[in-house]
Amino acid sequence: MGANTSQVSDLSESQSIRTLIGPDAISENEPFWNQLISFTFTSPTCSADAKLLEEAVVPLAKTLIQNNPRSGNFGALVRVFLSRTKELKISTECQDQLFIWQAHNALFLVRCLLKVFIREMSEEELHLQFSYQERVPGTYDSICKDLLEELVCNLVHLIVEVPLLDITYNILFEAVTTLLVLMSYQLFHKEVLKEGLIYGYLTRGRCLSLTSRLVKTLLYNFIRQEKCPAATHVLQTQSDGGGMLYGLASGVASGLWSVFTLGGVSSRPGAEQDQNPLPLSNQSLLLLLVLANLTDGADCPNPYRQAVTCFKNTQDSSSLPSPQPHTFQINFNSLYTALYEQQKSDQVTLLLYTLLHQNSNMRTYILSRTDMENLVLPILEILYHVEERNSHHVYMALIILLILTEDDTFNRSIHEVMLKNISWYTERVLTEISLGSLLILVVIRTIQFNMTRTRDKYLHTNCLAALANMSAQFRNLHQYAAQRIISLFALLSKKHNKVLEQATQSLHGPLGADDRTVLPDYAQDLNVIEEVIRMMLEIINSCLSNSLHHNPNLLYALLYKRELFEQFRSHPSFQDIMQNLDTVIGFFSQRLEQAGSDLSVERVQEVIKKGAAALPKERLKKFPELKFKYVEEEQPEDFFIPYVWSLVFNSGVGLYWNSQGIELFSMDSP
């Protein structure tokens, strides 16, 4: 850093860095600080470059940890940054790029050092690193009683008060990233942290009053999807006199700045931009998810979750004051657009889940949209490529569908939206299909994938619950969707028979078989399969009972494979539900027999359509309406906090953590 640093490998040779981490205290008003924070570099945007930086910083930071109790230089560096943040808003208004640039560099140094400190020490020990200070005559004696709290509050102020412009993009990104780093203690603990210094600063301290503004700003950073501006050489326009503000001789100033590159990043900015074109948007979303998933304190609920739960649409003209604290207004249309445009990433799917589940205003708005396909299609595409996605992402996508299918208006409207040529659906050419039929196809495919690969009961349950919620509203099912419903039943029937056969063989094993051999738990397998079969029969029955005349294709598929259902007619688990299917199959079979033999497909469909109008509904037994509602587990933080931090670990822009020492989740987690 400073005058002569040009790449990561030179860090340890830099005189400025050696002075900073050395045992001698540096007074805050010395020209050294201006020299230290005057460098130009391309910030790391991928983990490979961040790894290079981290490996170079670790030994330097460890030296500083040893010397800082005597020198207090880390605290001095933080105070240098804080002194510059006081003028940031004015600097932005005046387009004072040099001032913003130096403040950014100071914060970047603080963040790099903090990252190592947090790995090496407890929060209490970190707090001490902030409190060491040189005490000699003539030095500036900080009035900050708690420098760590001052830093946290300043970062929050910076994020909410400094407008997002090309010249402020990098420092805003750095402020968001530094807050993430400060909260990364969670990575090194297996248990979910429910308290702590930094937690307290953010949820109970001076930051509390800024909760709604911080959540709103992070959401808008996500919504705006601003690309990182091209690197600007601020000093070409401000080398004259700009340095004088900080006691630098103007003749010397031009020699103090150098280019700091990371692993050749600056020579190929295009490639890095393509990898992470929206670093501030991505990082802001990760910070928002971390804050929203903090646990409630013993004496106060998580204010960030409260803010996420209750914000309203800017179009909401309701004059009633909100009873909830930390409420605010945001443009729902812009947020909806950003949600469906960016849906392929885990963190955006998790944000959509959070808003649908926790914010009733946003859920009502989403369900009222007439372009629902924009949101639903990306969710279906995630599920369609289930083998390429991690299990958490698939769960979130499925639960979103389950929440949407709790609404009858949604279940009706999706059958009215017609789609043409779904390019990502490759199993069959679908030239025209309703959104509802496509949803059924993708959910059934997910069930079949799960049956053959992961065998996850939780996944089955959510898939079947979504289909069950929709079943009474099935309308004009596509021929292929109807076939797949019956094909899934055929697959379940085959699996049921196979497990029964295996169970029978295991009970009558060959004489002399080793009694100590542990037999598979066929009873448990059979129980699960029969639950799924029961659910599928209920789904088919619900459709026949409520909308038989709207679904000739399902009736056709049912009649074509009617022999599948015969074995379940006398089964005690299915007798009641089979009554209606028997009635329908018997009624239409009789009609088809009366119409003659060797009927064409068209003639069969004609008989089915006429018969559907003629079948007396009173002949069908009434069953309770199929309705399933998503409910979170009792301690959702046990799932969501490791998940959110795994996203930070894997997707944080320019952040790298060595996997050794990570306790919160295993390295094969998503």
Side-chain angles (χ1 to χ4, degrees):
M1 295 313 188
N4 301 310
T5 304
S6 60
Q7 50 187 315
V8 170
S9 56
D10 294 338
L11 271 176
S12 59
E13 303 302 317
S14 163
Q15 184 56 53
S16 298
I17 293 291
R18 287 215 302 270
T19 304
L20 172 70
I21 65 175
D24 298 328
I26 309 158
S27 172
E28 287 164 46
N29 54 13
E30 285 189 26
F32 164 83
W33 296 105
N34 290 302
Q35 180 175 340
L36 178 73
I37 61 176
S38 295
F39 55 85
T40 305
F41 68 99
T42 305
S43 190
T45 56
C46 74
S47 61
D49 294 329
K51 183 172 185 280
L52 283 173
L53 177 64
E54 179 98 346
E55 288 168 351
V57 169
V58 166
L60 304 172
K62 287 183 176 179
T63 302
L64 180 60
I65 290 169
Q66 292 174 346
N67 290 326
N68 193 46
R70 277 174 291 167
S71 71
N73 285 343
F74 179 71
L77 173 61
V78 172
R79 284 189 289 274
V80 166
F81 164 69
L82 294 178
S83 68
R84 279 157 171 73
T85 60
K86 292 182 176 70
E87 308 298 330
L88 269 178
K89 207 170 179 185
I90 296 169
S91 301
T92 304
E93 290 165 5
C94 301
Q95 294 283 303
D96 186 350
Q97 296 181 48
L98 181 125
F99 194 94
I100 296 166
W101 168 69
Q102 285 198 321
H104 165 272
N105 289 353
L107 180 55
F108 177 75
L109 287 173
V110 169
R111 189 254 287 185
C112 289
L113 292 167
L114 274 174
K115 190 134 178 320
V116 183
F117 285 10
I118 286 168
R119 180 137 203 165
E120 295 292 318
M121 60 185 77
S122 67
E123 263 193 320
E124 291 72 22
E125 291 167 328
L126 177 72
H127 197 236
L128 281 176
Q129 293 292 335
F130 279 83
S131 62
Y132 298 131
Q133 188 176 353
E134 181 198 18
R135 304 281 182 185
V136 296
T139 59
Y140 167 73
D141 189 8
S142 171
I143 58 169
C144 302
K145 290 183 179 176
D146 189 335
L147 195 59
L148 177 54
E149 182 179 19
E150 195 69 20
L151 175 63
V152 172
C153 291
N154 266 266
L155 291 172
V156 174
H157 271 280
L158 196 162
I159 293 165
V160 302
E161 290 180 356
V162 174
L164 174 53
L165 307 168
D166 276 5
I167 59 171
T168 61
Y169 189 101
N170 287 332
I171 194 165
L172 288 169
F173 169 79
E174 203 53 57
V176 170
T177 305
T178 306
L179 277 179
L180 271 176
V181 166
L182 278 165
M183 299 175 77
S184 66
Y185 269 110
Q186 180 63 79
L187 280 170
F188 308 106
H189 290 81
K190 197 165 187 64
E191 72 283 1
V192 169
L193 297 180
K194 300 192 175 181
E195 55 185 23
L197 277 174
I198 294 155
Y199 178 101
Y201 297 148
L202 286 165
T203 59
R204 289 189 291 275
R206 288 153 47 199
C207 297
L208 186 60
S209 61
L210 295 171
T211 295
S212 58
R213 288 180 67 192
L214 180 57
V215 170
K216 183 176 183 176
T217 303
L218 294 173
L219 272 174
Y220 266 128
N221 287 350
F222 163 67
I223 288 168
R224 288 178 64 174
Q225 303 286 317
E226 292 283 349
K227 292 189 176 181
C228 187
T232 52
H233 299 288
V234 295
L235 296 164
Q236 292 173 357
T237 57
Q238 297 207 358
S239 57
D240 253 358
M244 294 297 287
L245 293 169
Y246 312 107
L248 298 176
S250 58
V252 180
S254 60
L256 293 177
W257 294 288
S258 59
V259 179
F260 176 45
T261 62
L262 296 175
V265 173
S266 62
S267 64
R268 48 186 177 89
E272 291 303 327
Q273 283 292 309
D274 287 344
Q275 284 183 27
N276 290 290
L278 307 167
L280 179 60
S281 173
N282 180 77
Q283 220 83 324
S284 295
L285 177 52
L286 290 173
L287 178 58
L288 177 62
L289 291 171
V290 167
L291 291 170
N293 284 283
L294 291 174
T295 55
D296 292 335
D299 52 351
C300 65
N302 173 4
Y304 301 97
R305 185 182 293 122
Q306 287 182 315
V308 165
T309 300
C310 66
F311 67 78
K312 296 181 177 179
N313 194 353
T314 48
Q315 307 302 312
D316 184 355
S317 55
S318 168
S319 56
L320 292 171
S322 174
Q324 293 108 329
H326 315 300
T327 191
F328 61 90
Q329 288 186 307
I330 201 164
N331 187 311
F332 277 16
N333 183 54
S334 302
L335 179 54
Y336 179 81
T337 304
L339 283 168
Y340 74 69
E341 284 181 346
Q342 301 294 317
Q343 199 48 241
K344 286 186 181 178
S345 86
D346 275 74
Q347 47 267 41
V348 180
T349 305
L350 181 54
L351 176 64
L352 174 58
Y353 159 78
T354 304
L355 296 178
L356 271 173
H357 179 55
Q358 297 184 5
N359 189 311
S360 58
N361 303 318
M362 191 69 197
R363 181 168 62 252
T364 302
Y365 175 83
I366 288 173
L367 288 165
S368 71
R369 294 287 301 207
T370 55
D371 61 345
M372 184 63 76
E373 68 274 15
N374 287 334
L375 190 72
V376 175
L377 280 171
I379 296 292
L380 295 183
E381 193 173 352
I382 290 166
L383 291 176
Y384 187 78
H385 297 294
V386 59
E387 63 276 3
E388 299 166 20
R389 303 285 176 181
N390 69 67
S391 60
H392 287 14
H393 198 185
V394 172
Y395 283 151
M396 289 298 103
L398 261 180
I399 292 166
I400 286 166
L401 287 185
L402 179 54
I403 293 171
L404 292 173
T405 61
E406 289 170 18
D407 183 78
D408 280 342
T409 306
F410 171 83
N411 294 331
R412 279 192 298 273
S413 65
I414 55 174
H415 292 289
E416 295 163 9
V417 178
M418 298 308 295
L419 309 166
K420 292 183 185 293
N421 301 317
I422 307 300
S423 58
W424 47 262
Y425 194 95
T426 56
E427 286 174 37
R428 177 169 171 154
V429 177
L430 300 173
T431 51
E432 188 172 60
I433 189 169
S434 71
L435 180 59
S437 287
L438 182 65
L439 195 158
I440 291 165
L441 282 175
V442 172
V443 171
I444 286 175
R445 185 179 183 276
T446 308
I447 293 172
Q448 289 183 321
F449 174 84
N450 187 44
M451 283 172 64
T452 55
R453 305 279 186 88
T454 51
R455 300 180 62 178
D456 183 332
K457 188 180 175 184
Y458 185 77
L459 203 68
H460 268 345
T461 304
N462 282 295
C463 286
L464 291 164
L467 288 176
N469 283 347
M470 295 167 60
S471 58
Q473 308 290 339
F474 283 171
R475 293 289 187 277
N476 302 313
L477 291 187
H478 189 279
Q479 179 187 358
Y480 187 51
Q483 286 173 12
R484 299 305 289 158
I485 291 172
I486 305 303
S487 295
L488 175 59
F489 189 84
L491 185 68
L492 289 165
S493 176
K494 190 176 176 183
K495 200 169 180 63
H496 179 266
N497 294 340
K498 186 179 178 183
V499 173
L500 264 180
E501 187 183 328
Q502 288 172 330
T504 306
Q505 286 175 355
S506 69
L507 288 171
H508 304 93
L511 290 173
D514 188 349
D515 292 337
R516 290 169 296 174
T517 304
V518 178
L519 294 171
D521 191 355
Y522 293 114
Q524 188 179 347
D525 277 0
L526 199 61
N527 187 41
V528 170
I529 292 167
E530 289 186 354
E531 278 180 27
V532 177
I533 287 174
R534 169 84 194 185
M535 195 78 162
M536 283 301 298
L537 287 171
E538 288 182 345
I539 288 165
I540 294 167
N541 175 65
S542 172
C543 176
L544 297 178
S545 301
N546 293 283
S547 54
L548 179 140
H549 57 293
H550 288 299
N551 290 290
N553 285 331
L554 183 63
L555 273 170
Y556 183 93
L558 181 67
L559 291 167
Y560 188 70
K561 293 281 189 179
R562 51 184 175 249
E563 73 283 352
L564 280 174
F565 299 89
E566 288 175 6
Q567 64 173 303
F568 299 108
R569 187 176 291 133
S570 58
H571 195 294
S573 299
F574 311 123
Q575 273 179 324
D576 59 336
I577 204 82
M578 279 300 301
Q579 285 179 28
N580 282 352
L581 269 73
D582 272 345
T583 300
V584 170
I585 290 170
F587 177 83
F588 283 95
S589 296
Q590 188 178 8
R591 289 243 162 181
L592 288 170
E593 282 172 22
Q594 290 169 355
S597 57
D598 297 328
L599 300 176
S600 66
V601 172
E602 291 76 16
R603 178 71 182 121
V604 172
Q605 288 175 333
E606 187 185 327
V607 171
I608 286 171
K609 282 178 183 176
K610 285 183 179 174
L615 176 67
K617 282 197 173 180
E618 62 273 12
R619 286 177 61 182
L620 298 179
K621 183 183 172 185
K622 286 275 185 194
F623 282 87
E625 189 181 7
L626 285 182
K627 274 294 170 192
F628 292 87
K629 189 174 176 61
Y630 168 71
V631 180
E632 270 188 353
E633 301 274 334
E634 272 190 27
Q635 292 181 296
E637 64 272 13
D638 291 343
F639 170 84
F640 285 103
I641 289 177
Y643 180 31
V644 168
W645 276 105
S646 73
L647 295 179
V648 177
F649 181 87
N650 289 311
S651 310
V653 179
L655 285 172
Y656 166 80
W657 280 276
N658 187 320
S659 59
Q660 288 183 337
I662 302 292
E663 294 283 339
L664 184 61
F665 48 81
S666 60
M667 283 303 109
D668 57 354
S669 292

